Amino acid sequence: MSSALQGQSSSSRFAETLIDLLDRVEYRRVSVDQQFDPVYRLRYEAYRREDFIPVNSQQVTRDSYDDADNCYCFGVYIDGNLVSSLRFHHVTPENRQSPSRTIWPEILDPALDRGDSYIDPSRFTADHDASLALPALPYLTLRIVAMASEHFAVRYCIASVRAEHAAFYRRVFGSERLGDERFWGELRFPVCLYAADVPTIRNRVADRFPFFMSTPEERAALFAPDSGPRRIVSPSARLAHRLRVIENQHAEVD
């Protein structure tokens, strides 16, 4: 078997494994009034484990951006256990609240001035034991970002990441570096600004990583206005992948 075919087979097995694992996953959106949600304690424990933030008596990590009306915060649960968390801001010319814009306003404001919008993920943290047991945990968590980019039809998905994590974003999302290393908030490590052009990379990412796919119904359940009790949403990647295969087959026939 050629190395190219071996690589395709390995990627296919990885994608199938992730789709199977998603059957055990739930995404739970954090309500803004739940100021002591387990997600905030998970953040604190993850940052303190590496001495990235100072000690605080409440043992939670939360900031004013969590209260922004364009903020969406989620916990990722496997078999009912919280394993990771992520928040993002849907940033538009009309609503510019964004942690990354605070760090690189001279880069992101011009894009907003042109009428573009973007998804700004932040506070990506994971349970220590889960991160060791599940190397695929970043994919399961960042699937939220992929769905948000599709749901809100943004031009860019940006990422403020540590230098050692940049290779992952370049490889998976085709992200390109836009900004230099800078510090933000109370965090004791620098981050770099990366961005992926969503319309350009959308189909390639879906074909290579079908577990990022989702149905409109799942996206609507996750990102609808937060006016009720906390939502628990099961992933739809398996169904979305099947629908895409059928759609491609029909296109080949036509």
Side-chain angles (χ1 to χ4, degrees), residues 4-213:
L5 290 176
Q6 287 177 335
Q8 290 176 359
S9 177
S10 176
S11 297
S12 177
R13 287 196 301 272
F14 177 70
E16 291 172 0
T17 299
L18 261 292
I19 290 178
D20 288 341
L21 183 56
L22 278 169
D23 290 338
R24 299 163 51 198
V25 170
E26 292 175 340
Y27 296 118
R28 302 185 186 181
R29 184 168 166 186
V30 180
S31 299
V32 68
D33 58 345
Q34 297 294 321
Q35 298 194 12
F36 291 95
D37 189 277
V39 159
Y40 302 130
R41 186 174 295 275
L42 176 66
R43 286 183 191 172
Y44 178 81
E45 292 172 350
Y47 288 143
R48 281 298 306 152
R49 187 165 57 244
E50 301 190 61
D51 197 30
F52 285 156
I53 59 171
V55 173
N56 73 60
S57 59
Q58 292 184 324
Q59 296 187 339
V60 298
T61 296
R62 198 174 186 280
D63 60 41
S64 61
Y65 287 102
D66 287 304
D67 296 322
D69 58 7
N70 63 339
C71 177
Y72 299 75
C73 182
F74 292 91
V76 180
Y77 290 75
I78 295 181
D79 299 331
N81 299 308
L82 177 63
V83 295
S84 65
S85 67
L86 178 82
R87 77 175 179 196
F88 71 83
H89 290 75
H90 173 218
V91 188
T92 66
E94 296 75 30
N95 192 338
R96 302 190 178 204
Q97 298 181 88
S98 160
S100 294
R101 179 176 166 269
T102 302
I103 311 173
W104 296 280
E106 79 284 5
I107 296 175
L108 295 174
D109 271 337
L112 296 170
D113 292 340
R114 293 192 302 268
D116 291 326
S117 58
Y118 62 84
I119 296 297
D120 181 13
S122 59
R123 300 299 197 191
F124 179 7
T125 50
D127 175 81
H128 180 61
D129 291 339
S131 65
L132 295 177
L134 299 167
L137 192 54
Y139 295 92
L140 300 176
T141 309
L142 289 170
R143 183 172 177 268
I144 296 169
V145 176
M147 289 190 289
S149 298
E150 177 82 3
H151 180 77
F152 293 107
V154 296
R155 175 66 186 274
Y156 300 108
C157 182
I158 68 172
S160 303
V161 298
R162 294 155 59 184
E164 58 266 36
H165 295 163
F168 174 89
Y169 289 85
R170 290 196 302 266
R171 177 172 56 84
V172 175
F173 298 111
S175 301
E176 298 181 0
R177 182 166 172 168
L178 297 185
D180 57 343
E181 282 192 336
R182 300 181 186 180
F183 287 86
W184 179 75
E186 80 281 24
L187 299 179
R188 294 171 174 167
F189 58 84
V191 291
C192 306
L193 178 64
Y194 281 78
D197 187 292
V198 174
T200 300
I201 60 98
R202 175 185 178 275
N203 289 337
R204 177 181 62 79
V205 171
D207 288 339
R208 186 179 179 191
F209 304 110
F211 46 80
F212 281 140
M213 298 175 66

